[in-house]
Amino acid sequence: MKRALRRWLSRTPPPAVLAVGYLTLVLVGGFLLMLPPMARAPISLMDALFTSTSAVTVTGLAVVDTELTFTFWGELVIAGLVQLGGLGLMTFAVLLWSMLGLPMGITQGNYLREDLNQTSYVRLKRLVWTILRIVIMAEVAGAMLLCLSFMPHHGLAAGLWHAIFHSVSAFNNAGFSTFSAGLTDYAVDPIVNTVIPALFITGGIGYVVIADIWQKPLWRGWSLHTRMMMIGTAVLIVGGVGMTAFLEWNNPRTLGQFDSATARMTVAWFQGVTTRTAGFNSTDISGLHDSTSLMYMVLMVIGAGPTSTGGGLKVTTVFVMLLAAIAFLRRRTEVTAFGRSIPLGDVLKVMALITIASGIILTAIFALTVSHDGEFIDIAFEVASAFGTTGLSRGYTTEMSNFGRLVIMVVMFLGRVGPLTLGFFLATRTTPRVRYPAGQVHLG
């Protein structure tokens, strides 16, 4: 059995291994959540699988109230699934290959090096250990600081558990909370509004970027990837926070319920930065204006950075797309940024990723609008949140049928596994034996 498993792992492409691994983790998690000690009352198979899928894909969408439905042991299982899912696809692959002592084939090595932006398998293993150190330090520090806010309200033991759970959930950009109302009771708490965003921003920029910033001089020593991530993240944070404040300032259901400008800006800060992948809420998401919801949908689809705990298209993908558009408008034949050129293969990869992602999102929205009644903005928001593995909802999750929940589960899974992984199965790289003469196609 072990020999057969090793043979299958050595011959199977990494995307297939990882997809099967994640699916297995979802099924195991669903089974565990159905056990009697996990829930205060029996839950259905669909509720268990949906919760497990949401946890493994670090999304945070929920069809049941986490605080009221699950016991401590159920919440512990959810936290464990979030942690395993947040390690990332390629990180899990490197750990798997290392523990089993499998040789790294050409296909596997190329794919892993490409995804983790490393040039050798040795550096991949070093990055894995760097990731583990970052995870431990960030989550322990986050839990210790959150205890300062949670323990005075919930006691020593319960406060400690809430702090640990939210630290794990925040760093992994999951959005799960052990509070029924989310973090609305801590909307203006300075510790929560500092520690939680610090955790999910750190987890969302990617381990490669963190290692680059830690080891190399400021800006001049950073790689092109790190520069693009830092600029893209800063622009999205400033834009998200600023537009949230502008659009929701006088909305009585969101920012308008607070009297002081400081409180409104605090909530705008938290909600503006959490939207991309984390999914925590410190205000009523269903009370947002449609304009704000549309902006949040864009931010959720963009998501976080590669090799991070977040999902979505990724910041660098959108960055390269914009650079390609600028190069076209300026009639340039090469895409460049910060004195470096971006290979044509990467530009084509961006086009493929955006095309596949658009197809997934539009297909899911169509399937839900055909099978469900409801506001279009609520349905589209739910799908965008699922694909970006964000977890924010306008309250539509609990209104979906089993078919609708299945659609959202598939979107969450694909949003985490990645459209490029799906594309790996649909296309095999081959060298054409025949080259055809160029033809003319009228575009635009």
Side-chain angles (χ1 to χ4, degrees):
M1 183 68 179
K2 185 176 180 181
R3 181 177 299 177
L5 177 62
R6 290 169 62 92
R7 188 182 303 114
W8 180 78
L9 289 173
S10 62
R11 295 179 179 178
T12 306
V17 175
L18 296 168
V20 172
Y22 265 70
L23 182 60
T24 302
L25 189 58
V26 167
L27 296 176
V28 172
F31 170 76
L32 291 176
L33 290 176
M34 291 190 68
L35 296 177
M38 304 300 171
R40 304 180 192 279
I43 62 174
S44 66
L45 176 62
M46 179 56 72
D47 288 347
L49 288 176
F50 189 97
T51 303
S52 178
T53 303
S54 184
V56 171
T57 59
V58 292
T59 303
L61 288 174
V63 291
V64 295
D65 189 312
T66 304
E67 181 183 19
L68 300 179
T69 302
F70 296 104
T71 63
F72 164 78
W73 299 108
E75 293 175 354
L76 183 62
V77 169
I78 292 174
L81 294 175
V82 166
Q83 188 69 81
L84 291 174
L87 285 176
L89 296 172
M90 295 301 100
T91 304
F92 179 76
V94 175
L95 287 172
L96 183 64
W97 257 259
S98 299
M99 289 186 295
L100 293 176
L102 295 174
M104 182 64 67
I106 296 177
T107 301
Q108 291 87 344
N110 288 339
Y111 191 87
L112 289 170
R113 288 197 298 269
E114 178 181 297
D115 193 83
L116 285 178
N117 196 29
Q118 300 298 298
T119 56
S120 70
Y121 183 53
V122 174
R123 292 186 181 181
L124 281 172
K125 290 193 290 187
R126 289 177 182 172
L127 178 60
V128 168
W129 290 111
T130 300
I131 289 173
L132 293 178
R133 287 196 296 267
I134 292 172
V135 169
I136 293 173
M137 289 189 297
E139 292 182 358
V140 170
M144 292 174 63
L145 291 173
L146 288 175
C147 283
L148 300 177
S149 289
F150 294 156
M151 281 186 175
H153 295 88
H154 303 279
L156 184 64
L160 176 62
W161 170 239
H162 289 312
I164 294 173
F165 187 95
H166 282 85
S167 182
V168 172
S169 182
F171 184 79
N172 289 286
N173 280 251
F176 272 99
S177 176
T178 49
F179 303 132
S180 299
L183 295 174
T184 54
D185 293 336
Y186 298 88
V188 294
D189 185 286
I191 295 177
V192 171
N193 279 279
T194 302
V195 175
I196 296 290
L199 286 170
F200 61 65
I201 290 174
T202 302
I205 63 175
Y207 304 112
V208 173
V209 175
I210 296 174
D212 211 16
I213 294 174
W214 184 264
Q215 298 172 359
K216 298 179 181 179
L218 181 66
W219 185 258
R220 183 169 295 181
W222 291 353
S223 66
L224 175 62
H225 172 80
T226 299
R227 294 181 182 185
M228 292 174 66
M229 270 303 305
M230 295 303 292
I231 291 178
T233 300
V235 170
L236 291 173
I237 288 176
V238 173
V241 174
M243 289 301 296
T244 299
F246 175 75
L247 296 172
E248 296 292 322
W249 192 263
N250 295 315
N251 186 348
R253 297 183 61 183
T254 56
L255 303 187
Q257 63 182 299
F258 300 96
D259 296 329
S260 68
T262 302
R264 294 186 185 187
M265 280 306 302
T266 300
V267 177
W269 149 257
F270 187 90
Q271 213 57 67
V273 295
T274 191
T275 304
R276 282 174 40 229
T277 59
F280 291 100
N281 67 294
S282 59
T283 190
D284 182 13
I285 300 300
S286 62
L288 295 172
H289 292 310
D290 288 352
S291 57
T292 311
S293 297
L294 181 59
M295 180 192 69
Y296 280 5
M297 288 167 58
V298 174
L299 292 175
M300 289 189 294
V301 171
I302 293 175
T307 69
S308 73
T309 59
L313 282 171
K314 303 297 187 294
V315 175
T316 49
T317 299
V318 177
F319 207 127
V320 172
M321 178 191 69
L322 294 176
L323 290 175
I326 293 172
F328 173 77
L329 293 175
R330 293 184 176 180
R331 298 185 178 182
R332 294 178 177 177
T333 59
E334 190 177 41
V335 180
T336 60
F338 307 111
R340 297 289 186 272
S341 63
I342 299 175
L344 177 61
D346 289 345
V347 178
L348 294 176
K349 183 188 298 183
V350 165
M351 295 173 59
L353 178 57
I354 293 175
T355 301
I356 295 174
S358 300
I360 293 172
I361 293 172
L362 293 176
T363 301
I365 292 175
F366 179 78
L368 290 179
T369 52
V370 168
S371 58
H372 292 74
D373 293 326
E375 295 292 334
F376 179 80
I377 189 70
D378 294 340
I379 295 175
F381 193 92
E382 199 80 13
V383 173
S385 180
F387 180 80
T389 66
T390 304
L392 291 178
S393 176
R394 289 172 57 90
Y396 196 74
T397 311
T398 55
E399 299 181 12
M400 291 186 296
S401 64
N402 285 340
F403 173 76
R405 295 180 182 184
L406 183 61
V407 171
I408 293 298
M409 288 166 62
V410 172
V411 174
M412 288 191 295
F413 188 83
L414 293 178
R416 184 57 180 158
V417 171
L420 276 181
T421 301
L422 179 63
F424 187 94
F425 298 116
L426 301 178
T428 302
R429 184 179 300 176
T430 58
T431 302
R433 297 182 179 181
V434 178
R435 298 188 65 179
Y436 297 95
Q440 183 177 12
V441 178
H442 298 283
L443 302 173

